[in-house]
């Protein structure tokens, strides 16, 4: 363990534990996931032009009865679709605090909106996702193309 790893582990351990517990709890409660999905969808259908237009035009429902219905009804959005018309996929009522840029491994990096409220949990979520592979915040990291691996 490196000094940086020890500091990172001490700082992030409680948040990583909470994130992992939350992921397990949410995955175990499909009804809760459907409720959360419908709440987010209601806002997207009201504010995000791409989804507002699809719901108004009858192409997508205003509410989903199941996660399967959502998966079957909502088309996968391609990277090029977002790159060509990014404002159609953003909620204009909530201006972003920052823009994050994808790694650009496809040769076409995307700039995506980000908000201060998501920053504190982002590191914990990353480490919670790495935990099943035996990695924790004290693990050594290798930066490849600017990303931690």
């Amino acid at each position: 363990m490196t000094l940086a790893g020890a500091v990172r582990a001490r700082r992030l351990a409680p948040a990583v534990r909470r994130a992992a517990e939350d992921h397990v709890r949410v995955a175990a409660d499909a009804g809760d996931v459907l409720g959360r999905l419908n709440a987010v969808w209601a806002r997207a259908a009201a504010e995000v032009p791409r989804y507002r237009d699809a719901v108004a035009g009858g192409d997508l429902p205003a509410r989903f009865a199941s996660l399967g219905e959502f998966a079957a009804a909502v088309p996968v959005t391609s990277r090029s679709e977002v790159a060509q018309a990014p404002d159609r996929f953003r909620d204009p009522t909530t201006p972003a605090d920052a823009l994050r840029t994808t790694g650009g491994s496809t040769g076409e990096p995307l700039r995506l909106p980000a908000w201060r409220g998501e920053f504190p949990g982002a590191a914990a979520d990353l480490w919670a996702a790495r935990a099943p592979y035996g990695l924790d915040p004290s693990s050594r990291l290798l930066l490849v193309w600017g990303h931690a691996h």
Side-chain angles (χ1 to χ4, degrees):
M1 175 185 326
T2 64
L3 176 60
V7 170
R8 187 174 51 240
R10 187 175 60 225
R11 186 173 54 87
L12 290 175
V16 171
R17 195 170 26 262
R18 283 191 306 274
E21 291 167 357
D22 190 46
H23 293 183
V24 169
R25 182 191 59 75
V26 168
D29 188 356
D32 184 44
V33 172
L34 181 61
R36 288 181 183 197
L37 172 71
N38 276 318
V40 170
W41 182 251
R43 183 165 178 184
E47 304 296 345
V48 178
R50 166 68 173 88
Y51 303 114
R52 182 184 60 225
D53 295 350
V55 170
D59 298 326
L60 291 172
R63 183 168 187 78
F64 296 97
S66 69
L67 296 175
E69 180 188 11
F70 174 81
V74 179
V76 173
T77 302
S78 72
R79 178 184 200 90
S80 63
E81 191 177 1
V82 174
Q84 290 170 7
D87 290 339
R88 297 226 0 102
F89 296 91
R90 294 183 182 155
D91 176 354
T93 67
T94 309
D97 294 319
L99 289 174
R100 290 188 176 178
T101 304
T102 62
S105 58
T106 64
E108 296 181 24
L110 285 177
R111 297 188 73 192
L112 302 169
W115 294 266
R116 282 186 196 96
E118 69 189 61
F119 298 149
D125 284 340
L126 283 173
W127 285 107
R130 292 171 177 156
Y133 303 100
L135 300 171
D136 65 42
S138 68
S139 299
R140 289 177 181 246
L141 296 177
L142 172 65
L143 293 179
V144 178
W145 297 310
H147 298 281
H149 298 276

